[in-house]
Amino acid sequence: MTFLAALTAATPAPAAPAATPSPIRDIAPPVDVFPYPPWMVATAAALALVLLGIAVWLVIRWVRSRPGAPPPSARVLATRELDALREQVEKMPPYKFSIAVSDVLRRFVGGHFGLHATRQTSPEFLAAIGGTPRFSDDDRVLLASFLEKCDMIKFAHVEADSEDSRELLGSAVAFVQGARA
């Protein structure tokens, strides 16, 4: 064997040309992964609903427990009723008018002063207010005159007209507006 043959035998024959390498693939896009497990989400949602329910309950309880508007005072009620009677002076017979205006004034005295004026006769009522400092002498005179005129119309059936009804209404209005607390 000759040197050349030995050299050729030791060198391998060139192989077929190598295939071109496959192209490099790009990085895959990010995958959205929810950071919390489902049991945590369910627990948080339940807790949020419970807190919302408690908040709604507290608001409703607060709204219901707020005090309402105070009832109108005895003076306001009496003034409204006397204003309504003012329109009835000409239409209502003096007998019925005297009963109505007397009832308004007695309810006012009962509500404003805490007296049982609706359950007392006129002399009992006048005797009850005679010794109390809550009524001035002018108040006592006005009430005595008012009650006497009403009693004369109601019980003695004294003839009366719309002028007498206006006079009773004026006395009642004057007492209601001028009454002290």
Side-chain angles (χ1 to χ4, degrees):
M1 199 168 253
T2 66
F3 175 74
L4 192 56
L7 194 66
T8 19
T11 336
T20 58
S22 61
I24 299 177
R25 289 185 309 160
D26 197 10
I27 299 174
V31 177
D32 285 334
V33 177
F34 194 69
Y36 306 105
W39 67 268
M40 274 186 154
V41 174
T43 303
L47 184 62
L49 284 175
V50 167
L51 290 176
L52 179 66
I54 290 172
V56 167
W57 177 74
L58 287 173
V59 167
I60 289 172
R61 191 172 128 203
W62 175 73
V63 167
R64 286 184 181 166
S65 69
R66 284 188 327 187
S73 68
R75 185 183 312 271
V76 170
L77 290 175
T79 303
R80 285 182 195 162
E81 291 175 15
L82 291 172
D83 287 342
L85 283 175
R86 186 180 314 274
E87 299 171 7
Q88 301 295 320
V89 169
E90 299 294 331
K91 301 173 188 171
M92 192 181 288
Y95 174 79
K96 287 186 177 182
F97 189 85
S98 68
I99 293 172
V101 75
S102 174
D103 287 344
V104 170
L105 190 64
R106 285 176 180 265
R107 280 193 303 270
F108 168 72
V109 168
H112 191 70
F113 296 102
L115 299 174
H116 301 290
T118 57
R119 297 185 193 144
Q120 294 175 326
T121 63
S122 296
E124 290 172 339
F125 173 66
L126 291 172
I129 68 168
T132 178
R134 296 172 75 188
F135 293 91
S136 68
D137 289 335
D138 291 339
D139 291 341
R140 288 186 193 96
V141 169
L142 180 67
L143 285 172
S145 171
F146 175 84
L147 291 173
E148 181 182 353
K149 187 161 193 98
C150 281
D151 288 348
M152 294 298 288
I153 294 172
K154 290 191 300 190
F155 302 118
H157 297 286
V158 170
E159 285 295 319
D161 56 11
S162 59
E163 185 59 38
D164 292 317
S165 296
R166 273 193 284 286
E167 185 180 325
L168 286 175
L169 181 66
S171 297
V173 168
F175 181 75
V176 168
Q177 290 176 350
R180 293 177 285 154

